[in-house]
Amino acid sequence: MKPSDQPVISLNPLPCILNQIGSPPILSLPKTLKSFSMILPERHPLQRNTVFIYSVSVHIVNMLDLGSLGNTRVISEEYIKWLKGYCEAFFYGLTVKLLEPVPVTATKCSFRVNDNTQNLQIHAGHILKFLKKKKPEDAFCIVGITMIDLYPRNSWNFVFGQASLTDGVGIFSFARYGSDFYSSSYEGKAKAFQKKSSSDYSVFDDYYIPAVTSVLLLRSCKTLTHEIGHIFGLRHCQWLACLMQGSNHLEEADRRPLHLCPICLRKLQCAIGFNIIERYKALVRWIDDDSADTPRVTPKHSREDNVNLPKPVEAFKEWKEWIIKCLAVAQKSEPSYRSN
């Protein structure tokens, strides 16, 4: 077969990002599979192949979990289910279980107002300690998701997420993925904030939640799988365009793709043992299920228990085309893509 007849998959090099003094960063050689340290099975027996997800949130007076995603409970529950399904496809072969929402008060975490955005933030490290205590014995890892902004320490501005490989816990926020987070008119800005005590969490009452969009879902899926990837032992990728690239701001986060580079994909396969072809098929199914082509019915025009919420996957269209190309290549050499 002529080379021109083969499907083309772009494996772009990672764009060079200059450091603060205008010089290219010093990069070490890429870690190959041979140098990948598989320490996870030593920490967790292989039968512990479950990922648990907490919705780290706050509560309002009617006891709906305010830190959830979306402006109603139905939207929130659907969004969490979409993320669960995406994780099960991305980490193909693992079981993902949803746990009950947790109020900020239960975590006893520190919080503050960010000097730059004037938005509330909770301490990521304190949340990790809380999750470590709540981690089920049969869980490989437990992760928290929240719409409240995070900071890892007082000297840092913010962090999208944070994970501990050794403890098998992670926390990440989707707060900055809303379309108007950086706007001067953002409704979530803390108004007349005055911290009375370290245990007074009333400031989170009526916490603002942005609308659910396709871009928000895509960004959330990126962060979720990136941080869980760290728990599987994947470090930041420095060479090829890859989900495991690091990011310091939203522009960098948007620039990294949804897919793993070949080296990181092989590492993940080594950790989980999935069939790559079946994994690609599962990802396509997740995008195709509950297609967003059907008209959206919002809670405003129907009963909440009958709401039809098609998954907003418009932003995943280009990635779906990329996966289909990968499938075409993999299926032509199927034996070499098996996990064994």
Side-chain angles (χ1 to χ4, degrees), residues 135-153:
K135 183 179 175 185
E137 291 185 0
D138 62 343
F140 172 77
C141 68
I142 181 172
V143 297
I145 56 178
T146 181
M147 283 303 294
I148 306 170
D149 203 25
L150 300 172
Y151 71 102
R153 57 180 66 92

Side-chain angles (χ1 to χ4, degrees), residues 19-214:
N19 62 22
Q20 294 180 351
I21 60 174
S23 301
I26 299 174
L27 301 177
S28 58
L29 292 176
K31 288 186 177 294
T32 62
L33 179 66
K34 186 175 294 186
S35 63
F36 177 50
S37 176
M38 282 297 297
I39 66 171
L40 296 176
E42 298 175 6
R43 190 188 76 232
H44 298 287
L46 292 177
Q47 64 267 25
R48 295 186 180 182
N49 61 345
T50 302
V51 175
F52 287 82
I53 297 182
Y54 262 121
S55 176
V56 179
S57 59
V58 297
H59 288 193
I60 56 177
V61 291
N62 62 359
M63 299 307 291
L64 297 184
D65 42 318
L66 185 61
S68 301
L69 300 154
N71 54 10
T72 73
R73 184 168 187 171
V74 171
I75 294 177
S76 169
E77 291 176 351
E78 286 300 302
Y79 202 102
I80 301 299
K81 289 178 182 177
W82 294 335
L83 294 176
K84 173 183 181 292
Y86 184 79
C87 278
E88 288 180 327
F90 192 92
F91 302 101
Y92 189 72
L94 263 67
T95 299
V96 179
K97 295 183 179 180
L98 301 178
L99 302 178
E100 289 298 317
V102 176
V104 173
T105 52
T107 70
K108 296 181 171 56
C109 67
S110 296
F111 58 94
R112 72 179 187 185
V113 169
N114 184 281
D115 292 335
N116 298 314
T117 65
Q118 297 303 306
N119 297 333
L120 283 165
Q121 294 181 301
I122 52 179
H123 196 292
H126 295 175
I127 301 294
L128 291 180
K129 290 181 180 178
F130 169 81
L131 292 175
K132 182 180 177 180
K133 295 177 182 177
K134 295 295 182 178
K135 183 179 175 185
E137 291 185 0
D138 62 343
F140 172 77
C141 68
I142 181 172
V143 297
I145 56 178
T146 181
M147 283 303 294
I148 306 170
D149 203 25
L150 300 172
Y151 71 102
R153 57 180 66 92
N154 291 333
S155 59
W156 279 51
N157 182 18
F158 79 98
V159 67
F160 287 118
Q162 192 171 352
S164 170
L165 187 153
T166 55
D167 294 328
V169 296
I171 175 67
F172 21 92
S173 167
F174 308 141
R176 292 177 181 254
Y177 295 159
S179 59
D180 58 348
F181 182 87
Y182 295 95
S183 169
S184 59
S185 59
Y186 180 67
E187 296 183 33
K189 291 185 182 296
K191 299 175 178 63
F193 172 76
Q194 184 177 2
K195 188 173 177 180
K196 299 177 182 178
S197 72
S198 60
S199 60
D200 183 6
Y201 296 94
S202 61
V203 67
F204 290 98
D205 291 347
D206 300 322
Y207 187 82
Y208 172 71
I209 303 300
V212 171
T213 65
S214 180

Side-chain angles (χ1 to χ4, degrees), residues 241-262:
C242 179
L243 172 75
M244 294 310 298
Q245 293 167 213
S247 65
N248 294 311
H249 49 76
L250 188 57
E251 182 182 351
E252 285 184 356
D254 282 341
R255 191 158 55 223
R256 66 188 178 197
L258 281 159
H259 62 263
L260 295 167
C261 74

Side-chain angles (χ1 to χ4, degrees), residues 14 33 41 70 132 147 150 164 207 216 224-225 245 280 304 306 311:
L14 176 63
L33 179 66
K132 182 180 177 180
M147 283 303 294
L150 300 172
S164 170
Y207 187 82
L216 177 64
L224 188 63
T225 48
Q245 293 167 213
Y280 281 144
E304 281 205 343
N306 293 319
K311 190 161 47 190

Side-chain angles (χ1 to χ4, degrees), residues 249-319:
H249 49 76
L250 188 57
E251 182 182 351
E252 285 184 356
D254 282 341
R255 191 158 55 223
R256 66 188 178 197
L258 281 159
H259 62 263
L260 295 167
C261 74
I263 295 175
C264 291
L265 178 60
R266 186 65 181 93
K267 291 177 181 178
L268 187 64
Q269 186 195 37
C270 183
I272 299 177
F274 51 70
N275 175 280
I276 290 180
I277 291 177
E278 295 305 316
R279 175 180 177 271
Y280 281 144
K281 289 180 179 178
L283 287 167
V284 172
R285 284 196 301 271
W286 180 87
I287 296 174
D288 287 342
D289 286 349
D290 299 322
S291 173
D293 294 335
T294 55
R296 179 182 296 275
V297 180
T298 63
K300 184 181 296 185
H301 301 99
S302 62
R303 293 171 56 90
E304 281 205 343
D305 55 357
N306 293 319
V307 172
N308 175 25
L309 292 172
K311 190 161 47 190
V313 293
E314 298 92 341
F316 293 82
K317 180 180 178 180
E318 183 177 348
W319 191 51

